[in-house]
Amino acid sequence: MSMVVKNNMSAVRTLSTLNRNSSALQKSLAKVSSGMKINSAQDDASGYAISERMRVQIRSLDQANQNTQNASSLIKTAEGAVSSTLDLVRTMKEKAVNAATDTNTDADRLTIQKELDQFIDQVDDNALVTFNGKILLDGNTMPYHKQEYTKEQNIIRGLNSSWISDALYLIKESYGIDFASGEGGKAGAKHLDVKFYEDDTSTTIANCGSSYGGETVTLNINIGAIRELESQGQAGQDGKFKIAVKTPVLDDSGNPTEEMTDTFVYNAQTLDRVIAHELTHGVMINRFKNFNELPSWIVEGGSAELVHGADSRIAASDSYLASAGAFKAAVFDLPPGATGAEAQHAYDGGFIAMRFLTSVGNVNASDGIKKFMEVLDRGGTLNEAVHSGSGGIWGSTDTFVNSFVGELDSYVGKGVENGTYADTTEAATAFLKEKCGIDLENDDTGSITGSDAGGKLTKTGSSVVHEIGSPVNWRMPSSNSTMIGGIEVRWPAGMSVANENGGNMVFHIGAKANDAFNVGFNDMRARSIGLYDEAGEKLNVTTQARAKAAIHTLDKIVDLVVDQQANIGAMLQRLDYTASNLTVSSENVQAAESTIRDADMAKEMTNYTKNNVLLQASQSMLAQANQNSSAVLSLLQ
C-alpha cells in the first residue's frame, strides 16, 4: 500500500464502520430502554401498522368493558326498585288474603286498606328511581309504548298480554271448566291457533273451532268485519266497538219471517268479551261429548253470553218478549247449530232462559251454572244438566221450557190483560228482574259472576273480563308460540317480534359500531301494573268480596312484576358474560400485540453488548487509522 497523506482511506472506512456500529448501538439502546423491539415505523413498517391497530382495539375493548360495568350499575338500580315493588306486592297479597277472611270486620279491612294505600304510593315512588338523571321505570325506555301498530298487531298484543289469560280465568271462575282435561280425564286441547281472516260482509267478529278431545283449538278473528265496523264509526283503537244487528219480524203466530226490522246497535261490547265468548265455545266443544246436541239457546246465550253478561243485548220492548209464544218460537224452538238471522235471539233469549233456570233453582246462580256444566262435562245429558243446575226443580228440558213459558205468559200475557202491568214492556221488565235477576237499569252486565247473579261485585262492561295492567305494557309475542293459561298459543306468521324485549336505551358494549345492547323497562307505576281500576280507584279490600277480587288482581300483578324482574336478571346475566368476554378479548389482543412489538430482553441485551463492544473497537481502530499518515513524517527527516 502506497503512503499518502491527502486521503486516509483506512480512517474513512473505519469511520463508516464506527457510524454503523453507533447506529446499531442506538437502536439496541432504544429497544432495551423501551422494552419494545418496534419503536417506530422505521423498525418494522407492517408490524408497526398491525400493532397500532391492535392498540386501538385494546383501548376500545377496555372502554366497552367500562360501558358494560356502567350499564350493569344502571340495570342493578332498576332491579333494586323492581325488587322493592315485588316485596310490596307480596305484602299486599298477604294483606288481601287477611282481609278476605271473616275474622276481620269491615272496620279492620278499612285499616288494612290504609296500609295498601301507602304501599301503592310507594310503588309509584319506586318507579321513579333514577340513574344519572334518567327515570328508569316510567315506561319511557320501551319503544313499543309509543309505536304505531296495525289493527292485527294491536289485537295480537291484547291476546298475548291479557285477553286470552283473562278470558280463560273468567271461564274457569264461572263454570269450573278449562282446557285441562276432558270427560273421564281425557286429555284436552294443547294448542290454540290464532288466525285472521277477511270478510267485511259478515257481522261475525270471531269464532272458535275445535273438536271433542282434540289437541288443537282455532281462534279465528275477522279483521275485515272489525275494519268495517271501524269505518262506520263503531270501533276504535282501544278495541271497543258496537255491533249492528237486525231482528226478524214475527208473524201472527210468533214465528220469525224473512223480513227484518231496522238495524239497532247495542253498546259497550268490547273485543275482550267477544274473545271470552268464543273461547267458551272452544272449551265446551273440546270437553263436552254431547256438545253438538245442545240447542242453540244454550250454546250461545246460555253459556257463551252468560260468562260475560248480555244485559246490553236486551231491550224489554223487543217483540220476542211481547208474548210467551213469540219467545218460544224465537229461542226454544231453534235447532242445534242455528245461524244467521234465525239464530239472533239464541244469544239474548238463551241468556234470559239460563238466568231464569239458575235464579229460580239456586240462591246463588253461580252455583247452579257450575252444577249444570259439571253434568255436561262428565258426559251427562241435557235433561240431567237441567235437573242438576236448577237444584232439582225441573227434571227435563221440556218441563223447564214449559215452566218458563208459563211464567213469562203470566207477566206479558195475563199480567197485561188483568191490568197488573200497563203494557208488555213493563211486564217484560218486571219478569226479567223478578224471575231472572236481570236488572237492565244498573251497571252490572249480567255475568254469572256479577252482582245481578248473586255475586258480591258489580261486573261492568270494562271489568267483567278482568284485565290487569295498562295496555301500554302489552307486548307483541317474542316467539311463534306462547304458553298462556296452560295452553300453547300459536300466533299467525310474522306476528312475533323478537326484538321487542329490547328498549331505546342503547349501551355500547363492543369495539365495533353495531356492538350495541338495547335495554328497556316496563312501566312499573301503580296504574300501569293494575293497582288502580279504570275509574282511577286504588286496589280495594274494604269488603270481603273486594278482597277476594284483589287477590286475583295481585296474583296477576305478581306475574307481571316477576316477569320484569326476570328480564332484568337476564340482562344482568348477559352483561356479566359480555364483561367477561371483553376482558378475555382485550387480554388476547394485548398478547398478540406483545408478540409483535415487545422486545426479547435477553436477545436485545446480547445485541446491545455486541454493538457496544463493536463501537468501542471501531473507535480504537479509527484512532489507529489516524496514526497511519504520521508514518510519512519519518521519510521527511
Side-chain angles (χ1 to χ4, degrees):
M1 177 180 175
S2 60
M3 300 179 69
V4 297
V5 295
K6 183 177 182 182
N7 292 301
N8 188 349
M9 293 309 299
S10 296
V12 170
R13 292 188 181 98
T14 303
L15 179 61
S16 177
T17 300
L18 175 63
N19 289 335
R20 285 197 300 271
N21 290 339
S22 177
S23 177
L25 182 63
Q26 288 175 1
K27 289 182 179 179
S28 291
L29 184 61
K31 292 176 181 179
V32 171
S33 61
S34 68
M36 296 185 298
K37 65 183 175 183
I38 301 175
N39 287 289
S40 67
Q42 179 183 359
D43 295 333
D44 182 350
S46 62
Y48 180 83
I50 295 171
S51 173
E52 286 300 320
R53 283 196 292 268
M54 285 183 170
R55 286 186 172 188
V56 170
Q57 186 177 7
I58 291 167
R59 292 181 64 175
S60 298
L61 289 170
D62 290 344
Q63 183 57 56
N65 200 352
Q66 183 62 53
N67 290 353
T68 302
Q69 302 301 327
N70 292 337
S72 182
S73 297
L74 182 149
I75 294 173
K76 285 177 180 177
T77 301
E79 181 190 32
V82 175
S83 296
S84 176
T85 295
L86 182 58
D87 287 340
L88 289 167
V89 174
R90 277 198 294 256
T91 304
M92 283 189 271
K93 171 72 181 295
E94 178 185 357
K95 298 297 182 182
V97 171
N98 184 19
T101 183
D102 267 338
T103 55
N104 289 305
T105 65
D106 283 347
D108 297 326
R109 295 184 179 106
L110 281 173
T111 301
I112 295 173
Q113 182 64 45
K114 292 177 182 178
E115 293 183 80
L116 259 61
D117 290 344
Q118 293 300 317
F119 294 155
I120 292 170
D121 289 341
Q122 183 58 45
V123 168
D124 280 331
D125 291 342
N126 289 349
L128 298 178
V129 65
T130 62
F131 184 91
N132 193 27
K134 295 178 181 289
I135 298 176
L136 300 182
L137 299 172
D138 63 349
N140 286 322
T141 62
M142 295 305 285
Y144 58 81
H145 288 172
K146 300 176 182 178
Q147 183 173 332
E148 291 294 328
Y149 291 94
T150 65
K151 292 177 182 63
E152 291 93 332
Q153 288 174 325
N154 268 325
I155 291 171
I156 290 294
R157 290 174 69 232
L159 293 170
N160 179 53
S161 304
S162 184
W163 293 342
I164 291 177
S165 61
D166 293 326
L168 292 177
Y169 173 83
L170 179 61
I171 296 167
K172 179 73 172 179
E173 179 189 30
S174 302
Y175 301 150
I177 59 175
D178 54 23
F179 285 117
S181 63
E183 180 265 327
K186 181 175 180 177
K190 298 179 180 178
H191 314 292
L192 175 64
D193 291 345
V194 176
K195 298 182 178 181
F196 289 106
Y197 70 101
E198 295 264 0
D199 185 3
D200 57 9
T201 64
S202 171
T203 58
T204 299
I205 301 300
N207 62 75
C208 202
S210 182
S211 60
Y212 172 65
E215 289 193 355
T216 302
V217 177
T218 303
L219 177 62
N220 300 297
I221 299 174
N222 185 359
I223 196 68
I226 293 174
R227 285 199 182 97
E228 180 62 22
L229 289 169
E230 192 170 53
S231 70
Q232 299 171 12
Q234 298 174 16
Q237 291 291 340
D238 59 358
K240 296 180 180 179
F241 55 87
K242 304 173 183 179
I243 299 177
V245 295
K246 293 187 176 182
T247 305
V249 175
L250 304 179
D251 61 20
D252 294 336
S253 301
N255 298 316
T257 67
E258 295 296 323
E259 183 181 357
M260 306 294 288
T261 62
D262 292 334
T263 299
F264 69 92
V265 174
Y266 68 95
N267 297 319
Q269 186 65 293
T270 54
L271 189 54
D272 56 358
R273 292 172 69 184
V274 174
I275 299 302
H277 177 111
E278 296 303 330
L279 285 177
T280 302
H281 287 324
V283 173
M284 292 175 67
I285 294 170
N286 193 251
R287 293 195 58 149
F288 296 175
K289 181 187 296 184
N290 301 322
F291 178 84
N292 291 330
E293 300 173 10
L294 298 177
S296 295
W297 66 268
I298 289 179
V299 170
E300 299 296 351
S303 58
E305 287 291 287
L306 188 64
V307 77
H308 58 72
D311 282 8
S312 55
R313 279 189 177 272
I314 301 170
S317 59
D318 208 342
S319 57
Y320 76 108
L321 282 168
S323 73
F327 192 99
K328 185 174 184 300
V331 179
F332 292 128
D333 292 344
L334 290 173
T339 59
E342 178 188 25
Q344 178 57 50
H345 290 303
Y347 296 84
D348 40 8
F351 170 74
I352 293 169
M354 188 60 78
R355 286 293 305 275
F356 177 88
L357 184 149
T358 55
S359 295
V360 171
N362 296 275
V363 176
N364 187 332
S366 179
D367 293 337
I369 193 63
K370 285 179 180 176
K371 293 175 182 177
F372 183 94
M373 294 295 179
E374 180 184 5
V375 172
L376 296 178
D377 190 34
R378 59 178 170 78
T381 65
L382 180 57
N383 286 339
E384 292 172 336
V386 168
H387 181 265
S388 180
S390 66
I393 292 179
W394 298 291
S396 68
T397 308
D398 288 342
T399 56
F400 161 70
V401 170
N402 290 336
S403 179
F404 180 94
V405 170
E407 285 287 357
L408 179 59
D409 185 59
S410 69
Y411 280 80
V412 299
K414 298 180 179 64
V416 174
E417 290 176 7
N418 62 27
T420 304
Y421 304 103
D423 52 34
T424 56
T425 299
E426 183 182 334
T429 300
F431 172 77
L432 293 171
K433 189 170 186 177
E434 296 171 12
K435 292 298 181 179
C436 306
I438 297 174
D439 186 350
L440 300 181
E441 296 181 355
N442 65 18
D443 293 332
D444 193 87
T445 65
S447 164
I448 196 64
T449 56
S451 58
D452 267 7
K456 295 184 178 181
L457 292 178
T458 296
K459 298 293 186 71
T460 65
S462 60
S463 68
V464 61
V465 181
H466 194 60
E467 298 169 0
I468 299 297
S470 168
V472 75
N473 280 337
W474 289 357
R475 304 280 293 278
M476 290 288 287
S478 58
S479 62
N480 294 328
S481 64
T482 308
M483 289 301 297
I484 300 177
I487 191 168
E488 181 190 26
V489 181
R490 300 189 293 205
W491 306 106
M495 284 296 174
S496 63
V497 181
N499 64 358
E500 266 216 338
N501 286 324
N504 59 17
M505 283 194 298
V506 182
F507 301 140
H508 210 89
I509 56 173
K512 296 187 180 298
N514 60 350
D515 289 341
F517 177 36
N518 287 45
V519 170
F521 308 108
N522 276 340
D523 190 341
M524 299 302 293
R525 290 174 294 183
R527 291 181 186 276
S528 297
I529 65 175
L531 290 171
Y532 286 80
D533 61 21
E534 291 192 0
E537 297 295 327
K538 289 180 178 178
L539 187 75
N540 194 303
V541 297
T542 54
T543 66
Q544 186 182 49
R546 290 186 181 278
K548 288 182 177 180
I551 291 172
H552 170 60
T553 298
L554 288 165
D555 282 339
K556 298 203 70 177
I557 292 174
V558 167
D559 291 341
L560 192 153
V561 177
V562 167
D563 180 68
Q564 177 64 91
Q565 196 169 39
N567 286 337
I568 290 175
M571 293 176 197
L572 288 172
Q573 190 174 41
R574 175 181 173 179
L575 288 178
D576 284 345
Y577 281 112
T578 299
S580 177
N581 179 61
L582 288 169
T583 300
V584 171
S585 296
S586 178
E587 290 173 354
N588 289 338
V589 175
Q590 193 164 354
E593 196 267 346
S594 174
T595 301
I596 294 172
R597 201 154 187 171
D598 284 359
D600 182 340
M601 294 303 292
K603 178 180 178 181
E604 295 304 331
M605 282 301 298
T606 300
N607 287 335
Y608 172 77
T609 302
K610 179 190 73 173
N611 290 329
N612 192 30
V613 170
L614 288 173
L615 177 64
Q616 293 179 46
S618 59
Q619 287 174 336
S620 177
M621 290 305 100
L622 179 61
Q624 292 298 321
N626 285 334
Q627 293 297 319
N628 288 341
S629 296
S630 65
V632 176
L633 295 176
S634 64
L635 297 176
L636 299 178
Q637 290 178 354

